[in-house]
Amino acid sequence: MHPSNPPPTILPAVAIGQQLQTVIDTLQTEITSLQTEVELLRRRDDSLNRYMQRMDEEMRLAARLQRDFLPKQLPQIGRIRFHTLFRPAGYVSGDLYDIMRLDETHVGFYMADAVGHGLPAALLTMFIKNALVTKQIGPDGYRLLPPSQTMARLNDALLSQNLSHATFATAIYGYINTATQTVCFARGGHPNPVLLKRQGEVRQLESEGALLGIFPDEPFTDCRVQMEAGDRLLLFTDGVEVAFSETEQVDPTQWLGELEARKTLSAEALLQSFAERIDANTGSLAPKDDLTMIAIEAA
């Protein structure tokens, strides 16, 4: 060994033991801290899972409740038949419809589509259902309100709520005289219904009326149409355009092409064919919008 180099320092066994214990204590502290964090995360995860399960259960209950408000049986009076297709985009739908007997010869129908979908939209359509007034009752009996008056009252009722957010909806209401097969309806921002004639003609029926819940004292107009044996009247929400668009950009002409290809089908077969076509589309398990259709057929 060179005389200028000091001999290596040899730590006593006690010092080495103390250093190892310090390292062990430090690691144990860190392990304990990590275990505490893991336990905290586990508890949070359990709480989140319980919350999600509760939310899932509540949404399923809400979906069942909403379906309970849909007609259980569709009135089939005289030569008039009704058929429906109802497809929510999620648990609950921002669409709602009803078909109800108004008197011995008249059957009323309506459809509402709140802007957006999910629970907020569903709550708005439930309000619309409750606010729908179809008759004026007096001491001498009752009279059916013209659909234009029903829509005007509906618009006023929605505006009177002074909702905190800009909330509005489209709707269509009308009735059919089952004896004469005459239909009268009014619409507010809703897609125009389509009349499929027995001979194959496809005709869009137009009436004036803006979105509900925006403008006070908005005028609505009645539209009358005479149905004949073999005719089908189709009402629908704008979800049909989304359902039959195969790209992100909605193409309204594609839906009309799908309708044209089925214009000779009966009302029941028509809606069944639409349902099968939607189910065959990619992404049918996760629809982008609510879809509702009512088909009225004159036999």
Side-chain angles (χ1 to χ4, degrees):
M1 180 178 295
H2 195 280
S4 63
N5 292 332
T9 302
I10 299 176
L11 295 175
V14 174
I16 295 175
Q18 290 176 343
Q19 289 183 354
L20 286 175
Q21 187 60 47
T22 300
V23 172
I24 291 172
D25 292 343
T26 301
L27 290 174
Q28 185 61 50
T29 301
E30 292 179 356
I31 290 173
T32 301
S33 177
L34 288 174
Q35 288 175 335
T36 302
E37 291 183 15
V38 168
E39 178 63 20
L40 180 60
L41 290 174
R42 186 190 63 79
R43 292 179 181 178
R44 289 180 178 176
D45 186 60
D46 290 343
S47 297
L48 181 60
N49 285 335
R50 287 194 297 270
Y51 174 77
M52 295 300 295
Q53 290 173 0
R54 187 169 66 250
M55 286 295 297
D56 181 76
E57 181 180 356
E58 290 178 357
M59 292 302 293
R60 290 180 187 276
L61 288 172
R64 287 199 293 269
L65 180 62
Q66 184 180 52
R67 287 188 176 274
D68 285 342
F69 280 97
L70 300 178
K72 302 292 188 302
Q73 293 182 337
L74 301 178
Q76 314 294 351
I77 303 174
R79 295 170 294 165
I80 301 300
R81 299 290 181 269
F82 292 88
H83 303 277
T84 61
L85 176 63
F86 182 70
R87 291 293 183 89
Y91 284 103
V92 293
S93 175
D95 295 352
L96 198 64
Y97 72 91
D98 201 2
I99 300 170
M100 56 284 191
R101 190 163 184 170
L102 300 177
D103 58 23
E104 292 301 316
T105 57
H106 293 87
V107 177
F109 53 85
Y110 95 94
M111 185 181 294
D113 180 4
V115 173
H117 48 79
L119 194 56
L123 291 173
L124 182 61
T125 55
M126 291 303 301
F127 169 81
I128 292 174
K129 176 182 175 66
N130 186 61
L132 192 73
V133 179
T134 62
K135 299 177 183 179
Q136 181 173 331
I137 301 175
D140 299 328
Y142 73 91
R143 72 177 182 90
L144 297 181
L145 291 176
S148 56
Q149 289 188 22
T150 293
M151 292 296 292
R153 291 190 180 195
L154 199 56
N155 185 56
D156 292 342
L158 191 56
L159 284 167
S160 68
Q161 295 302 303
N162 294 319
L163 299 177
S164 57
H165 295 85
T167 305
F168 46 90
T170 73
I172 184 170
Y173 166 73
Y175 52 72
I176 181 169
N177 185 318
T178 58
T180 65
Q181 298 188 343
T182 302
V183 177
C184 182
F185 72 88
R187 52 180 284 275
H190 205 80
N192 293 313
V194 173
L195 180 64
L196 305 174
K197 298 293 292 181
R198 178 183 57 184
Q199 300 85 353
E201 178 188 0
V202 179
R203 185 194 310 169
Q204 291 194 19
L205 307 178
E206 298 184 2
S207 68
E208 296 298 324
L211 285 167
L212 301 180
I214 298 181
F215 304 110
D217 303 320
E218 179 68 25
F220 298 89
T221 60
D222 291 315
C223 177
R224 295 182 181 274
V225 59
Q226 179 65 52
M227 294 186 68
E228 300 173 346
D231 290 352
R232 291 130 298 149
L233 180 63
L234 193 63
L235 294 79
F236 46 88
T237 57
D238 59 7
V240 296
E241 297 181 356
V242 178
F244 293 103
S245 292
E246 297 179 352
T247 62
E248 291 295 328
Q249 187 68 27
V250 176
D251 181 7
T253 61
Q254 187 168 349
W255 131 251
L256 293 175
E258 298 282 354
L259 180 61
E260 182 73 23
R262 296 167 173 80
K263 64 182 181 181
T264 60
L265 297 178
S266 67
E268 184 177 12
L270 177 67
L271 296 193
Q272 180 63 34
S273 179
F274 277 143
E276 292 172 355
R277 175 69 172 85
I278 293 170
D279 290 340
N281 283 349
T282 302
S284 62
L285 296 178
K288 298 178 183 178
D289 198 4
D290 304 312
L291 168 62
T292 303
M293 304 179 97
I294 296 176
I296 307 172
E297 185 170 33

